[in-house]
Amino acid sequence: MKKILLGNEAIVKAALAAGVQFVSGYPGCPSAEIGDIIGKVAKENGIYAEWSTNEKTGLEAGIGASFSGLKVLVNMKSFGINVCSDSLFPLAYTGTKGAMVIFVGDDPGCHSSAQSEQDSRGYAYLGKIPVLEPSDPQECYDFTMLGFEISEKFNVPVILRATTRVAHQRSPVNFGERKPGIRPIGEFIKNPRQFSTMPPRTMEMKNELLEKLEKVRQFAEKSKANKVSKRKNKTGIIASGISYLHVLEALETMGLDLPVLKLSFFYPFPKKIVANFIKDKKSILVAEELDPYLEKEITALAKDTNLKLNIFGKNVLPGTGELNSEKICVALSKITGKKFVNNKSPALNLPKRSARLCDGCPYWYIFPVLKRVAPDAIFGGDIGCNMIAGLPPHNMHDTLFSMGASLGISHGIKKSTNQKVISMMGDGTFFHSGIPALVNAVYNRSNPLVVVLDNRITAMTGHQVNPGMGKTLMGDIVEEVKIEDIAKACGVKNIKVLDPINAQDFEMAIKEFLVKDEVSIIICKRICALLARRQKNG
Amino acid sequence: MDKTFNIIIAGVGGQGIITLLQVMDEAAFVEGFDIKSSELHGLSQRGGSVEAHIRFGKKVYSPMVSNGSADLILALEALEGLRESSKAGKQTKILVNEYFLPFLNSPAKEDIIKQLGETKKDFYLVSASKDCKEKLQNEIVCTLYLLGYAVVKKLLPLKKESVLRAIKNVIPEKYLDLNIKAFELGYGN
Ligand SMILES: Cc1ncc(C[n+]2csc(CCOP(=O)(O)OP(=O)(O)O)c2C)c(N)n1
């Protein structure tokens, strides 16, 4: 079949066609559609699918499934790999049993990410895990298939790394159908030699992994996923991911006929292909977004194979923000001397339109009250629609880091000062990583005030279920996990659950709790306005 | 059509940009073109400025429209239309919904419209939101109205039949009638 698909839809189609049986992960931008779509079709296709509480539990669920022989897809955004890395590295050592592809969505340009402009490809080196980089939805499809193939052949997990402009790109995709009769039932056959990283096995496992990676490298050297164009010229371009498409565009714009090597295997690095490509060149442009990983590999390789090669990369292309065809044209113009006129007219000096809270958003009843009642407080901001508190007209965030960090940092400030500190955290974030921070604050006798913005869903990433809702990704009804019960069990003494629309109750609770010597928590429970509207409209 | 056709859709997160993009992608697909488009999700969908890019033709590489190369800028909101107009080139046509979503420190609507007129581009101002609200009691389908207008005025090389088929392929049954009506309303304008 051929249809227009979003990159993430193409990944789902491939996983279905490849016979995936188990899907776990945690939502984020630009990866969330993968879980969202799988959730809708899981039951009819004999798949078990879940939104896990965070990326670590998500990956670990996938590991258990793989060890039981199932075919697994794990999905997350860039920062998710930081969260799950503690289990990711040993997974490389044990290897997989059932094939496993891990999707990681990076967001160059930080369109929908605070925190950092992370280039997750770096984890390939730290974790020693093969990484594939698609450029368009067709490659999202093909490389998901390829990822499963590699994982099956070499018993390694494979990371499929896409950026926003690939995961959220649409174009026509050829795809196949799922075979009937697949079910998510495996068998765990005990084999601690493979599944347990107890030393001294650990060191043996590392050596085994290095041997496997050498085999994957040989596979990569022969793979058609890396593409070399036939053109001949002393100047060439090596590109990966979305940059490859920008390069083709730029060559057309400038009427240049330069040879291009597209590297789809980021790791292990296919040395021979690259050595072959650069051996007769005078100059090379390495077109990669964000960090110069490929550039460094190529520079090292050129020392052995072509000492005189001029390597251009981050000296002509920015390492911050997205690339586009104009930036490539400018770089090519510097390298080839061919003129390029940028059509850019000066940007108009218009005020920025920032993201804002939706009409009727429950947070409208929270942020202004907090600001008014505690004007001197330090506000620990967190991830989610909560981030909008950091934008005008609220401008309330004194810190913004990673999920759950509002409380972790608030505790540190509280211990270091005599100031009032309020940590604001969404319900999804509370379940994701707020709980350890809460235990830490209670245990170490700190006294920040935690305000949980419980809008009854994980909203920002597109309305995914979480443990507080009493519903799973596959639509099953389960018992609600109550934030107040968890807080109580963690030893929090001052707990209030209220609807923030009752401004007086909320105000009184803030005043009362701000002077307490122990950790306090106010759970502001009111449904996300978009969700409420959607439920009403069916 | 020899040259790739380039469209930038501009608007405010929540205005239905992605649905419009899907319909346009599908219409180009129905006509047998190669297509690449790019959109943004997440934070930007929460009421911030949003732009999406669509390119179709014989063979398309990058999903992004480069500066100055848009053939059509379709803006669902006036200020966002003005903002995008800085990316226009000589050939660019600008179609703007006469609809304004003000925010803290935003310029006045009259100034925005005036500045748009001064861009010296092929510029069309259409009261899509207003018409849809009055005649269909629904503002969000102004996207399809604008598409209808763009098709009838030949601001983009897509046929009416292809767009109607695309609407049927993309829009859920429940909202199909409303969307077709909005398209026809814009087409008949
Ligand atoms: C480790 C990590 N995983 C995922 C994300 C993506 N993310 C951004 S906002 C958000 C939603 C948080 O949900 P919640 O705390 O319920 O807040 P809401 O958006 O509902 O206000 C998530 C998961 C992230 N930033 N970091």
Side-chain angles (χ1 to χ4, degrees):
Chain A
M1 269 255 287
K2 191 173 186 179
K3 255 185 163 172
I4 295 193
L5 297 179
L6 189 68
N8 284 341
E9 287 176 322
I11 289 161
V12 172
K13 291 279 186 216
L16 288 172
V20 79
Q21 293 158 293
F22 192 101
V23 181
S24 55
Y26 193 78
C29 195
S31 64
E33 295 79 18
I34 295 175
D36 289 342
I37 303 169
I38 286 273
K40 291 199 185 100
V41 300
K43 279 192 178 158
E44 68 201 66
N45 283 293
I47 294 170
Y48 172 80
E50 70 175 38
W51 282 130
S52 313
T53 49
N54 63 40
E55 292 84 353
K56 186 164 185 284
T57 56
L59 176 67
E60 287 158 357
I63 293 171
S66 165
F67 287 179
S68 307
L70 299 192
K71 201 170 259 194
V72 180
L73 175 68
V74 181
N75 59 95
M76 64 190 73
K77 83 171 278 164
S78 53
F79 309 135
I81 197 169
N82 311 340
V83 174
C84 74
S85 59
D86 213 16
S87 287
L88 185 64
F89 296 0
L91 172 63
Y93 278 38
T94 63
T96 50
K97 191 158 178 210
M100 186 193 289
V101 170
I102 302 168
F103 176 84
V104 179
D106 277 353
D107 187 21
C110 296
H111 296 288
S112 199
S113 311
Q115 312 189 207
S116 75
E117 196 186 37
Q118 176 169 322
D119 189 336
S120 300
R121 297 179 304 168
Y123 276 96
Y125 299 112
L126 275 173
K128 301 187 173 52
I129 296 172
V131 172
L132 297 171
E133 269 196 278
S135 303
D136 60 23
Q138 184 66 57
E139 285 191 348
C140 284
Y141 182 86
D142 295 342
F143 292 4
T144 303
M145 290 291 203
L146 179 63
F148 280 122
E149 184 192 332
I150 295 169
S151 181
E152 208 147 80
K153 234 192 186 99
F154 302 101
N155 293 326
V156 288
V158 174
I159 292 177
L160 185 70
R161 183 262 189 180
T163 56
T164 298
R165 298 296 181 186
V166 177
H168 287 163
Q169 183 188 139
R170 287 178 202 266
S171 69
V173 176
N174 278 308
F175 60 92
E177 298 296 329
R178 184 176 178 84
K179 289 192 192 76
I182 301 169
R183 293 201 311 145
I185 301 203
E187 188 187 356
F188 183 92
I189 300 165
K190 292 186 184 206
N191 182 9
R193 218 185 120 69
Q194 185 190 355
F195 302 141
S196 167
T197 58
M198 181 71 77
R201 254 302 275 160
T202 329
M203 319 289 280
E204 279 173 28
M205 286 174 145
K206 183 173 169 187
N207 285 330
E208 287 163 15
L209 171 60
L210 294 174
E211 278 167 30
K212 274 195 224 171
L213 286 172
E214 201 36 52
K215 286 188 191 136
V216 181
R217 186 196 307 281
Q218 284 161 20
F219 178 91
E221 300 279 12
K222 287 187 220 113
S223 168
K224 287 204 174 68
N226 303 306
K227 283 188 224 161
V228 197
S229 64
K230 293 258 163 8
R231 299 175 198 139
K232 287 261 171 284
N233 200 297
K234 288 281 167 208
T235 303
I237 305 174
I238 300 179
S240 67
I242 191 70
S243 313
Y244 173 65
L245 298 181
H246 296 325
V247 162
L248 297 182
E249 196 68 42
L251 289 175
E252 197 173 88
T253 306
M254 294 187 68
L256 285 169
D257 211 19
L258 304 180
V260 183
L261 167 60
K262 175 199 193 297
L263 281 184
S264 301
F265 275 82
F266 172 77
Y267 183 91
F269 181 66
K271 279 186 205 159
K272 279 192 202 143
I273 297 181
V274 179
N276 240 332
F277 186 76
I278 62 174
K279 67 174 188 245
D280 60 345
K281 302 281 183 298
K282 274 205 174 112
S283 313
I284 285 282
L285 171 65
V286 185
E288 67 185 314
E289 242 169 19
L290 304 184
D291 297 338
Y293 295 124
L294 289 175
E295 188 180 341
K296 282 187 184 152
E297 293 277 8
I298 294 162
T299 307
L301 189 64
K303 287 209 170 75
D304 297 331
T305 53
N306 183 350
L307 259 176
K308 289 201 199 112
L309 183 69
N310 271 316
I311 300 170
F312 296 90
K314 293 299 164 195
N315 54 350
V316 288
L317 287 170
T320 303
E322 294 186 296
L323 294 184
N324 57 33
S325 64
E326 287 127 296
K327 290 179 187 172
I328 308 273
C329 285
V330 172
L332 284 174
S333 172
K334 282 184 191 151
I335 296 166
T336 63
K338 186 151 183 175
K339 227 172 131 185
F340 170 68
V341 195
N342 202 337
N343 262 326
K344 199 171 172 152
S345 25
L348 299 161
N349 192 13
L350 296 172
K352 188 173 156 30
R353 185 194 297 271
S354 312
R356 63 191 291 280
L357 297 177
C358 304
D359 292 341
C361 173
Y363 300 174
W364 282 119
Y365 304 104
I366 300 176
F367 301 149
V369 177
L370 280 171
K371 219 171 147 174
R372 180 167 51 78
V373 178
D376 318 324
I378 294 166
F379 287 102
D382 220 306
I383 301 299
C385 293
N386 187 339
M387 272 148 55
I388 296 171
L391 299 170
H394 316 286
N395 298 317
M396 279 170 75
H397 279 180
D398 292 307
T399 60
L400 176 61
F401 269 69
S402 58
M403 291 187 78
S406 62
L407 180 48
I409 295 172
S410 293
H411 155 61
I413 297 173
K414 201 66 232 197
K415 279 282 171 190
S416 317
T417 67
N418 289 319
Q419 290 165 284
K420 292 192 167 50
V421 187
I422 299 178
S423 144
M424 304 186 285
M425 189 187 293
D427 50 330
T429 303
F430 181 84
F431 292 114
H432 179 281
S433 44
I435 299 168
L438 185 63
V439 178
N440 188 49
V442 172
Y443 167 55
N444 288 302
R445 292 192 291 164
S446 200
N447 61 338
L449 166 60
V450 186
V451 176
V452 179
L453 315 173
D454 184 4
N455 60 358
R456 318 296 303 133
I457 198 153
T458 301
M460 174 61 91
T461 42
H463 294 97
Q464 289 82 14
V465 291
N466 73 39
M469 290 182 67
K471 215 166 139 193
T472 68
L473 175 59
M474 288 168 79
D476 293 327
I477 304 299
V478 292
E479 186 137 358
E480 279 182 27
V481 180
K482 292 210 163 65
I483 296 175
E484 56 273 29
D485 291 353
I486 293 178
K488 198 167 164 214
C490 290
V492 181
K493 302 237 163 50
N494 314 307
I495 303 174
K496 282 222 159 84
V497 183
L498 49 82
D499 182 343
I501 203 164
N502 301 322
Q504 236 182 352
D505 292 359
F506 185 34
E507 187 169 335
M508 268 160 47
I510 301 167
K511 283 186 179 149
E512 184 192 333
F513 283 176
L514 266 182
V515 293
K516 294 277 185 194
D517 293 330
E518 313 96 9
V519 177
S520 311
I521 188 163
I522 304 174
I523 299 155
C524 293
K525 213 181 236 192
R526 187 170 183 82
I527 189 173
C528 161
L530 287 184
L531 180 66
R533 259 172 253 159
R534 217 168 287 164
Q535 283 179 354
K536 206 176 111 205
N537 295 336
Chain B
M1 197 177 81
D2 282 339
K3 224 188 113 275
T4 297
F5 195 84
N6 297 320
I7 305 170
I8 297 179
I9 309 177
V12 177
Q15 278 197 294
I17 293 179
I18 291 175
T19 308
L20 174 61
L21 171 137
Q22 280 181 281
V23 171
M24 288 166 88
D25 274 3
E26 182 71 15
F29 184 62
V30 165
E31 296 207 4
F33 291 117
D34 186 26
I35 304 125
K36 288 230 167 73
S37 68
S38 177
E39 65 203 50
L40 295 172
H41 296 220
L43 181 61
S44 43
Q45 278 179 316
R46 296 275 176 271
S49 306
V50 186
E51 67 173 67
H53 293 202
I54 303 178
R55 309 187 64 220
F56 59 90
K58 268 191 204 139
K59 175 79 198 149
V60 183
Y61 299 116
S62 169
M64 313 287 300
V65 175
S66 57
N67 270 319
S69 75
D71 295 290
L72 173 65
I73 292 176
L74 194 161
L76 306 180
E77 197 266 355
L79 181 63
E80 297 315 313
L82 181 60
R83 202 187 298 280
E84 286 308 310
S85 69
S86 71
K87 294 200 182 124
K90 282 193 209 87
Q91 75 295 344
T92 312
K93 296 182 166 69
I94 305 182
L95 171 59
V96 179
N97 184 11
E98 191 176 354
Y99 175 69
F100 179 46
L101 275 166
F103 58 96
L104 207 69
N105 299 326
S106 55
K109 184 175 170 186
E110 295 69 38
D111 292 340
I112 297 168
I113 306 287
K114 192 163 148 258
Q115 277 195 61
L116 269 167
E118 285 163 1
T119 55
K120 297 202 179 61
K121 302 285 176 223
D122 224 346
F123 162 58
Y124 304 77
L125 188 67
V126 188
S127 53
S129 287
K130 190 162 152 270
D131 274 15
C132 287
K133 192 167 183 180
E134 278 174 18
K135 303 201 174 107
L136 304 171
Q137 289 73 51
N138 182 313
E139 259 180 3
I140 195 101
V141 288
C142 70
T143 50
L144 271 288
Y145 180 111
L146 288 164
L147 181 55
Y149 185 88
V151 170
V152 74
K153 298 287 177 200
K154 301 206 163 25
L155 306 183
L156 83 173
L158 292 174
K159 294 187 206 72
K160 181 179 180 182
E161 305 77 64
S162 326
V163 177
L164 282 173
R165 231 175 87 197
I167 296 175
K168 283 178 195 131
N169 292 350
V170 169
I171 306 285
E173 186 73 39
K174 194 170 153 194
Y175 304 107
L176 192 57
D177 209 37
L178 177 66
N179 279 273
I180 292 175
K181 275 190 186 138
F183 176 80
E184 292 288 0
L185 205 56
Y187 191 86
N189 184 308

